[in-house]
Amino acid sequence: MMSACTCGTGTPLVAAPEKNCYTQRGQIQRIYFAKRGQIKIDLADNANNIPASIQNLSPDTQALWDVLWNANDDTKVVNTPVRTLGAPNIEAGAELTAGGGNETPNGVLLNTGRDPSTFSGNFLRLHADQIAALRNLECQDVEVFLIHENNTITGHKEGDIFTGIPLQKAPFIGDQSFGNRDNIDANAFNFQFVPKFDEKLHTIVPTPPFSPLLAVV
């Protein structure tokens, strides 16, 4: 009794493919934001990249990102400041259920879907103009590229097309809490991924000297 699923009768089971050498992505230390649907990178043929300004450029090189950071239209990508992201955490979306007890036959819970996963963290020691700029994201339909401690870039890959990970809830930047003597001045923030965001994750390893963690416009 799984009301969130399409009927599986007569459909073969799908076996999970065997994989070797899983690489742990590690702590998320930086985030790149892009407007949803504006950036599409063809990993098989970079000549098909969208927008045209990044055609024939590869996402493992800074040249592609330099173009996007310096754009003055909807293709512009913006980053969180270097070394300001603390306590990053993804709280996985829980199963949504209904029924149970006397409400359903045999008290069996019905699966009605899943909550989105929530990313949260703290921006540490931000200046006022940085806070104001980040709050602009609260009114935007954005997707994200996650930058990890090992300097890799994680986004979504469907077929050969690499994009940012779409969000269901836009970022929210809280008011700054002062650390006083025991803690660090910080702004709490969060956003939510679309459900099942993990089924299309793809990680790119940059080509030196490109450092996604440290690069600035």
Side-chain angles (χ1 to χ4, degrees):
M1 302 176 72
M2 297 176 291
S3 58
C5 300
T6 56
C7 183
T9 303
T11 302
L13 298 178
V14 177
E18 295 294 335
K19 300 286 184 177
N20 295 315
C21 301
Y22 181 85
T23 301
Q24 190 78 9
R25 294 185 177 92
Q27 186 184 53
I28 298 168
Q29 296 188 351
R30 202 176 188 194
I31 303 170
Y32 293 178
F33 295 93
K35 284 195 173 183
R36 188 193 296 259
Q38 296 296 318
I39 312 300
K40 297 180 180 180
I41 301 168
D42 191 331
L43 299 179
D45 185 354
N46 294 152
N48 298 322
N49 290 352
I50 298 172
S53 57
I54 60 170
Q55 286 177 356
N56 298 309
L57 297 176
S58 175
D60 63 346
T61 65
Q62 186 166 333
L64 179 145
W65 299 100
D66 278 339
V67 172
L68 298 175
W69 292 330
N70 288 286
N72 57 10
D73 56 17
D74 282 346
T75 67
K76 185 177 181 64
V77 170
V78 297
N79 311 333
T80 56
V82 174
R83 294 198 176 104
T84 59
L85 179 55
N89 182 63
I90 297 177
E91 182 179 351
E95 178 187 19
L96 297 176
T97 61
N102 195 47
E103 297 298 316
T104 49
N106 298 320
V108 175
L109 292 173
L110 302 180
N111 174 277
T112 60
R114 68 186 68 224
D115 276 330
S117 294
T118 299
F119 182 95
S120 62
N122 295 317
F123 285 127
L124 307 176
R125 297 174 173 171
L126 291 183
H127 295 267
D129 55 348
Q130 293 176 311
I131 297 171
L134 288 168
R135 285 205 176 117
N136 177 63
L137 297 168
E138 295 179 352
C139 298
Q140 303 289 342
D141 183 14
V142 293
E143 54 193 29
V144 297
F145 297 91
L146 306 176
I147 313 302
H148 305 276
E149 62 182 302
N150 60 4
N151 218 27
T152 55
I153 305 171
T154 293
H156 260 189
K157 180 174 177 284
E158 189 164 5
D160 292 322
I161 304 303
F162 183 66
T163 67
I165 305 167
L167 301 187
Q168 182 160 289
K169 173 188 173 295
F172 174 79
I173 316 299
D175 289 350
Q176 189 169 81
S177 59
F178 299 158
N180 301 315
R181 296 183 64 186
D182 300 321
N183 292 297
I184 302 169
D185 293 355
N187 293 76
F189 83 106
N190 68 78
F191 54 73
Q192 289 182 317
F193 297 111
V194 296
K196 300 183 182 180
F197 79 98
D198 53 350
E199 294 183 1
K200 298 178 182 178
L201 293 180
H202 182 74
T203 300
I204 288 177
V205 179
T207 299
F210 176 36
S211 172
L213 278 175
L214 301 178
V216 295
V217 179

